[in-house]
Amino acid sequence: MPALRALRPFAHREYRVLITALAISIFGSGMWAVAMVYEVIYLGGGPLELSLVAAAGSVGLVAFLLAGGIAADRVPQRLLIIAVEGANLAVIASISALALAGLLQLWHLALGAFVLGVGAAFFFPAYSAILPRILPPEDLLAANGLEGTMRPILQQAAGPAVAGVLVAAMSPSFAVTGVAVCHLLAFSILNFLHRQPAAGAPGTAAGSEGSAGGEAHVSGQRRAKTSLRHDLREGVSYTVRTPWLLWTLLWACISVLFLIGPIEVLVPFVVRDQLGGDARMFGFLLAIMGVGGAAASLATASFPLPRRYLTVMMVSWGAGSLPIAAVGIMDSFWALAAALFIFGATGSVGMVIWGTLLQRRVPPHLLGRVSSLDFFVSLALMPVSMALAGPAAEVLPLWLIFLVAGTVCPVMAVVAMAVARMPSDELAHPLARGAEEAGGTEVSGTEQASGAGEPAEDGLAGS
């Protein structure tokens, strides 16, 4: 049964410890998103100052993302995860103490956001690397699905909602203290993780996924003898020569540039100036967007991959951005809530399909590099978007900023589909529904191994 399959990872003690700590940490991150905004406003900051603080966190994440991936392969993941959570605790506890003492300044928040971003760059590669060492291969899909559902519920819904209530009822400093408590609990729980055996030792998942996993392992040993520059160049070359992959990443860059800054930085001022709302209203709006994302993730994962998978993905992302065009003129809470719900839901539909396509159509020996490149490229313009949103609001009306953001992304989705010939590509490379319904990691790996020789139009023949 699907429900029982989703719960199988909980049979393993190490997973229970890890996912419990991760859930608490993610909840704290959701609280921080609201607490940081209203701490900046409490200190007298406006859109420009909020842009700088938000951008500092994104810069820390993007700048150290590749280093975090390297560290996850060279340092015991357990120690890395515990160290990052300890650093998060130290940063948030310091900010909380300064805020309660009345000594907090904007540069403290910017520095703290930067360190938290650096921590995220090291934490999540280590988390991804440790999962196959504490779970058997057949439980990895369920574990990843659980995280995908948990993240919007806790980080975009429950955490922001609780922080909004704390800010409105008491002050931003108490919300920051709540974030510190979350990181303290997560840090304490993570210390119950046991030491993990070396990669490839008995009891680990390495080399236990059949022929496809074996090929990937051998390929990994061969790449260890090459330079980091060679590996990066090979992954970039494959991406550039694969139209559907390249143009999806280009669309992602544009959407991040035009959408992230306005949503993260300017929506709080839409709530304040157009709706007359407070932190509670802003928190619940983020919660509504998170609920939309979680519901759509579960719904998409419950059905087979669409036959027109690229079309459904791009239309979901493009059409889902259209309601954002009207955010700057909305004066109704429910209208803004509906716009953010649609944006969150359609975004999650596209992300579920996108993650599946990477696993199904990218050759095994390139999947790690392409996945990390996808993550890096998608986030590269996030700090730029946040840094530009504040200054843009100083010279342009909010309605114009949101109008441009909400219309550029659908137009670029159409352009990407046309230039990459996605409708014909998805028909030329059908993904069997029977294999999709099987849902196992081994099935995906086998299909990747057999699909490594896809036609040259995807740039795979030469690799």
Side-chain angles (χ1 to χ4, degrees), residues 6-372:
L7 296 177
R8 287 197 314 198
F10 287 98
H12 304 274
R13 175 198 177 275
E14 294 297 280
Y15 178 78
R16 294 196 300 269
V17 172
L18 182 62
I19 199 63
T20 300
L22 180 64
I24 296 173
S25 181
I26 289 176
F27 178 81
S29 297
M31 291 185 64
W32 169 254
V34 172
M36 180 267 291
V37 167
Y38 287 94
E39 194 66 71
V40 170
I41 295 175
Y42 179 80
L43 294 176
L48 178 60
E49 289 77 14
L50 183 55
S51 285
L52 293 176
V53 174
S58 298
V59 168
L61 173 60
V62 174
F64 287 87
L65 184 58
L66 297 179
I70 295 173
D73 289 335
R74 301 187 178 188
V75 178
Q77 292 93 14
R78 171 184 173 274
L79 296 180
L80 193 57
I81 289 173
I82 293 174
V84 169
E85 196 59 39
N88 292 343
L89 171 60
V91 169
I92 298 298
S94 299
I95 292 176
S96 174
L98 290 171
L100 292 174
L103 301 175
L104 186 66
Q105 299 180 30
L106 285 172
W107 73 267
H108 293 141
L109 285 173
L111 178 60
F114 176 81
V115 176
L116 291 176
V118 173
F122 283 85
F123 183 94
F124 289 107
Y127 169 80
S128 298
I130 202 174
L131 269 186
R133 303 177 67 180
I134 64 176
L135 290 175
E138 61 270 17
D139 289 345
L140 290 177
L141 185 64
N144 289 324
L146 177 62
E147 185 202 352
T149 303
M150 178 181 69
R151 188 170 299 279
I153 292 176
L154 296 179
Q155 189 168 3
Q156 296 180 346
V162 171
V165 171
L166 288 176
V167 171
M170 291 180 281
S171 71
S173 60
F174 283 93
V176 175
T177 302
V179 178
V181 171
C182 290
H183 286 295
L184 175 61
L185 290 174
F187 176 75
S188 301
I189 293 172
L190 285 173
N191 278 275
F192 287 97
L193 282 174
H194 291 156
R195 295 177 182 270
Q196 301 301 319
T204 67
S208 61
E209 298 185 10
S211 60
E215 288 182 19
H217 182 65
V218 172
S219 178
Q221 290 180 325
R222 184 173 62 251
R223 288 200 307 271
K225 300 178 181 179
T226 64
S227 67
L228 296 177
R229 180 180 300 179
H230 172 273
D231 289 349
L232 180 60
R233 185 169 60 248
E234 187 179 13
V236 171
S237 176
Y238 168 79
T239 300
V240 171
R241 292 183 289 109
T242 308
W244 68 269
L245 182 58
L246 173 63
W247 280 92
T248 303
L249 291 181
L250 290 176
W251 182 90
C253 288
I254 292 173
S255 67
V256 168
L257 179 62
F258 281 89
L259 288 174
I260 295 300
I263 291 175
E264 295 287 340
V265 176
L266 301 182
V267 167
F269 297 97
V270 170
V271 171
R272 186 189 68 181
D273 300 335
Q274 296 175 200
L275 305 184
D278 57 9
R280 184 185 291 109
M281 181 179 291
F282 176 63
F284 278 114
L285 285 171
L286 292 183
I288 289 171
M289 184 169 68
V291 168
S297 294
L298 284 176
T300 306
S302 300
F303 294 93
L305 191 68
R307 179 170 178 263
R308 292 280 190 173
Y309 50 85
L310 290 171
T311 299
V312 173
M313 179 181 72
M314 297 306 298
V315 168
S316 295
W317 280 336
S321 302
L322 281 173
I324 302 300
V327 166
I329 60 174
M330 290 179 176
D331 56 3
S332 165
F333 169 82
W334 293 111
L336 184 54
L340 293 179
F341 180 89
I342 293 172
F343 179 75
T346 54
S348 292
V349 170
M351 286 305 300
V352 171
I353 296 175
W354 172 245
T356 303
L357 295 187
L358 289 181
Q359 295 173 342
R360 299 284 298 274
R361 292 195 59 180
V362 176
H365 70 284
L366 289 169
L367 182 56
R369 281 167 287 172
V370 171
S371 298
S372 62

